[in-house]
Structure formats: C-alpha cells, structure tokens
Amino acid sequence: MLTPPRAAAGGGAAGGAPRRRGEGSAGLTSALAVFAVGGLFGLVFANAYLGGLAGFGLGALYAVVLSAGLVVAAGAETGCWTAFLVLIAALIAAAAGSSAREDLILLSGRTVTATVVGKSMGPVSKGHADWYYTLRGPDGTTVPGGRLKLSEDGLATGDQVTVREDPAGRATPNAPDRVNPDGSLWTAAGLSGAIALAVLYAGLTRRRALRAGAGPPPEGHN
C-alpha cells in the first residue's frame, strides 16, 4: 500500500527551509531608516513651500509613522525610547536644515543697503526679547522676505543697514556676516546620520534577538 508523502518539516513550503522569526524585520528597519532621513528633509521643504500649517500636519504624520514603525521593528520598549530620542534629534536637524536652506538662498541673492522704516519688539522670554525691523530697499520698495531680526535693539528708524536679500522673498533678509550655512549643514547632516544609525541599530538588534530565540533550524534543512 502506498504511503502519502510527509509534509515538509516546520510548516514551510515543500522542499524549502522554514521561515525563521525576525527575518522580515531587516527590510522594515532599512525602510524606516530611509524614511527617517528622507522624510526629515522633505519636512524642511514642505514647511518652506507649503506653509507652516501643512508643515505641522506632515510633521505629526512623520512622527506617528516613524514611532509606529519603530515599535513594530524594535519592540515596544526599545521602539518607544528610540522613537523619543530620534524625534528630538529630528526636530533639531529640521531647524538646522531650515536655517541652512535660508542661508544658501541668501548666498545666491544680492547685497543691498536698506533703510529702517519701522521696528517692533518681540515677546519677552527670560528677560530677553528679539527686535524686528521693516526695511525699505534702494528702489523704495519693502525688502522682500520679511523683517530683519536682531537679538538686540541696535537700529533706529531712518538708519541704514546692509543686508543680503532674496529678490523672490524665499528667505528672511540678514546681515552679510551672519549668512553662513556651513554650521547648520554639518549639524543637519550629522544628526541625520545619527538618526539612521539609531533606527538601524534598534531594529537589527531586535532581529538578532528574535533569531537567537528561535534556535537552530530543524534537522534536514541547510
């Protein structure tokens, strides 16, 4: 009497090795690392070109997706702590990226001598307040991009000041000696690298733990 063939051990496909726990997390972890860095720079440009409200909404979506992905890839405890630290680093990196973007735009702009036609004091925090100056360019029009911001009240109405401006108004005017994107670029790049490494480390550590807990494959499978 014929005996029916036995099913492949481990419940896998016939003739194939069984799938081990944790094998699928490597792809998810790599995708999360790419999303963490790529999404971060996407937020910088979204905030610049779509406005603050859209940037806030996309930022919240970024935080939720990244946090949920880390919990799945790295486990609840490790995922939550990693998400917390990564999101703090992402916030700092996004601010540095936005600053670098404005400086790069101003470097491609032009230098003008403008006249102060108005000024106002910003909110007071810890006994300090920034000052904002409305500027009029040599052609009699308001300097595009918004008001000049200084950390102290060093200008009076009618004073002249030299600034870098972007004719298209994509960046806030600033003093030429303060337009230097190098520090902000290095900060954004360094934090982005740290974010990617943190995501990879958390996810792959979890994967190794799952594989170790699964034990060796059943006999008969190489």
Side-chain angles (χ1 to χ4, degrees):
M1 186 170 103
L2 294 177
T3 302
R6 298 175 63 185
R19 186 177 183 85
R20 300 176 67 178
R21 294 174 61 195
E23 287 184 349
S25 65
L28 173 61
T29 300
S30 300
L32 277 175
V34 173
F35 172 77
V37 176
L40 178 61
F41 285 94
L43 288 176
V44 171
F45 289 97
N47 189 62
Y49 293 104
L50 300 180
L53 185 59
F56 177 81
L58 290 174
L61 179 62
Y62 171 86
V64 170
V65 172
L66 184 58
S67 299
L70 280 169
V71 168
V72 172
E77 184 175 356
T78 301
C80 287
W81 275 109
T82 304
F84 175 73
L85 297 175
V86 162
L87 290 176
I88 291 177
L91 186 63
I92 299 172
S98 295
S99 177
R101 171 193 163 273
E102 290 220 348
D103 284 349
L104 289 170
I105 290 174
L106 290 177
L107 283 178
S108 65
R110 62 188 181 187
T111 301
V112 299
T113 300
T115 303
V116 178
V117 295
K119 70 177 187 177
S120 62
M121 184 177 70
V124 178
S125 176
K126 298 181 180 179
H128 173 78
D130 293 321
W131 286 81
Y132 296 86
Y133 301 88
T134 302
L135 306 178
R136 184 174 62 206
D139 59 358
T141 61
T142 301
V143 172
R147 297 179 294 173
L148 173 67
K149 176 184 175 182
L150 296 179
S151 59
E152 58 184 18
D153 184 16
L155 297 172
T157 301
D159 286 351
Q160 291 191 323
V161 59
T162 300
V163 295
R164 293 286 296 183
E165 69 165 16
D166 173 49
R170 296 171 298 171
T172 306
N174 207 348
D177 59 352
R178 296 171 59 191
V179 179
N180 182 7
D182 293 348
S184 297
L185 283 174
W186 279 111
T187 299
L191 287 173
S192 297
I195 287 170
L197 289 175
V199 172
L200 289 172
Y201 178 80
L204 296 181
T205 299
R206 166 76 169 177
R207 179 172 182 261
R208 286 196 297 268
L210 290 175
R211 289 176 65 88
E219 293 183 4
H221 292 282
N222 297 323

